[in-house]
Amino acid sequence: MLPKAFLARMKELLGGDYPAFLQSMETGPVRALRVNFLKTSSVPADIETKPLPFSGGGYIFSRDSVGHHPLHHAGAFYVQDPSAISTVAAASPVLRRGMRVLDLCAAPGGKSTQLAGMLQGTGVLVANEISGERCRILRQNMERMGVKNAVITSFDAQRIAAYYPDFFDFVLVDAPCSGEGMFRKYPEAVKEWSEENVAMCARRQKEILENAAKTVAGGGYLLYSTCTFSLEENEQVIHWFLTEHPDFSLLPVAADVAAVTAEGISVGGRDLSAARRFYPHLSSGEGQFFCLMQRSGGMRGKEQFPSALRSLTGEEKKAAEAFFADAFGDIPQEMAALRDNVVLLSGEVSCCPGGALSCGVPAGKVIKGRLVPHHHLFSAYGKDFQRSVDLPLEDPACAAYLRGEGFLLTGAPDSGWCAVEIDTVPCGGGKIVNGYLKNHYPKGLRER
């Protein structure tokens, strides 16, 4: 049962739309998936889908479960709420390749991987999550989706602001909130709701935004979002922010997203109609608020830290070059080391501070003079391997691979490391030994 105080607030907020909203809250949540444009351009043929009415590669599906689908393992798609997909899609008019992008509150990674799909391996994406446990989930999703140009960190907003002053062309703050928009999806959010928690969240959001603003380069963009309906956490926060930061101004969002959302609510005489509210009675999906802002000026700063990357040792260089000469047929130009991992660099991912969990794509560790490849390498660079094994969905070997089993290959490539694809989508890796595939799909990801 929804809290009475919440319902009273929504009735006052929505007026004549309140009955329709109330009816929508009595239906089940909408399930959607988003195509991962880093790996494919289409949805799985065996999942019945309906496209969302805005850009972003999102589709509603009705299947009971897709989390165990082989192409979900392969990172061909990400299960994500339609309103969450609409948030990044709302900024599509200003997002472009080559940008420096920050996702300040990134876990579990839905919006980060959507941003990565737009960057297409160019520029840099700093995906930050203050919670260590949630950051591990973020990292797993970045690996599964094959992201090449990310730096993954687990810092507080103040530290990010100190490290990256005036640095980013685009900053997303998907702020922690009271979660009113998720009431249909997560019953525990209903139990945790209170007006006191709403006020606490608003205070925290202002602190996060204050630090986020310091990281936006002159001319850069700031996208603020929450999954709540409360005026205190949405328009009132933005009104406060624009008052404190007159160098920022509101921008309109993508027209196709604006068409399925409601206007923001004016506060203190300030017109906030360019901000958008995603309501479940207006569009298929859960509650969401977002607004796009731009900073004036032209200053673009530099990172304020020494890079955590180091040059390869002689042993690492020899082992890495031998591995890539055999596996890729050539040696990548941009290699470095982060702690004990050899990493492949692309875009501008060299802006990697100490304490970063990941940078670029970890190629693997050198053990006893040989490079043992990392799962992320197969996921992100599977198409670059000289040897590959493609498993159709209906092939029993596909299910066997995802269970961690090895198997004999018909017409196998010569012995050596290979990428394993599912319906041509890179999923993981293995090692061919005399026609037998030794499975190297990580144990923690395997089907049981």
Side-chain angles (χ1 to χ4, degrees), residues 229-308:
F229 302 116
S230 82
L231 202 63
E232 296 94 323
E233 299 175 76
N234 296 329
E235 286 90 348
Q236 287 184 9
V237 166
I238 296 306
H239 173 65
W240 165 85
F241 178 80
L242 293 174
T243 301
E244 295 294 317
H245 298 272
D247 52 337
F248 282 83
S249 57
L250 277 178
L251 292 182
V253 302
D256 55 356
V257 175
V260 297
T261 52
E263 293 182 349
I265 300 166
S266 297
V267 172
R270 187 190 298 273
D271 179 10
L272 298 177
S273 58
R276 309 307 299 179
R277 285 176 161 262
F278 197 111
Y279 287 118
H281 65 285
L282 296 181
S283 302
S284 296
E286 309 313 300
Q288 196 88 8
F289 170 87
F290 44 85
C291 69
L292 179 63
M293 297 170 279
Q294 184 175 22
R295 187 180 183 185
S296 61
M299 186 169 66
R300 197 182 197 218
K302 294 183 177 181
E303 64 267 28
Q304 298 298 310
F305 52 81
S307 175

Side-chain angles (χ1 to χ4, degrees), residues 54-129:
F54 47 82
S55 62
Y59 296 80
I60 294 173
F61 68 91
S62 55
R63 185 167 169 160
D64 287 342
S65 175
V66 297
H68 296 282
H69 195 286
L71 286 172
H72 184 267
H73 278 273
F77 61 87
Y78 190 102
V79 178
Q80 191 174 12
D81 185 77
S83 61
I85 298 172
S86 77
T87 300
V88 174
S92 58
V94 303
L95 283 164
R96 60 185 182 275
R97 296 185 182 192
M99 277 185 155
R100 297 174 177 178
V101 175
L102 168 66
D103 187 352
L104 186 56
C105 313
K111 294 181 178 70
S112 279
T113 53
Q114 189 175 357
L115 288 165
M118 290 179 156
L119 290 174
Q120 286 291 306
T122 66
V124 63
L125 168 62
V126 176
N128 181 74
E129 172 56 49

Side-chain angles (χ1 to χ4, degrees), residues 377-390:
L377 180 68
F378 296 111
S379 177
Y381 286 95
K383 292 295 184 183
D384 292 290
F385 276 75
Q386 294 195 106
R387 305 177 193 89
S388 64
V389 175
D390 186 28

Side-chain angles (χ1 to χ4, degrees), residues 145-216:
M145 305 297 271
V147 178
K148 296 179 180 178
N149 60 326
V151 177
I152 302 176
T153 59
S154 185
F155 303 142
D156 62 36
Q158 188 174 5
R159 190 172 178 186
I160 288 287
Y163 279 174
Y164 296 101
D166 308 309
F167 185 83
F168 294 102
D169 304 305
F170 184 91
V171 175
L172 168 61
V173 177
D174 186 33
C177 67
S178 60
E180 295 172 355
M182 296 291 111
F183 280 178
R184 293 195 310 184
K185 196 173 182 179
Y186 301 118
E188 60 271 22
V190 178
K191 297 177 183 178
E192 295 172 359
W193 185 89
S194 69
E195 291 182 306
E196 291 75 18
N197 189 44
V198 168
M200 183 275 292
C201 287
R203 291 192 295 270
R204 180 171 57 187
Q205 289 150 1
K206 290 178 180 179
E207 181 181 348
I208 293 172
L209 265 180
E210 186 66 37
N211 284 293
K214 298 174 183 177
T215 71
V216 182

Side-chain angles (χ1 to χ4, degrees), residues 39 74 142-146 375-382 426-428:
K39 290 193 174 188
M142 299 288 262
E143 288 178 1
R144 182 172 62 87
M145 305 297 271
H375 172 62
H376 198 163
L377 180 68
F378 296 111
S379 177
Y381 286 95
C427 179

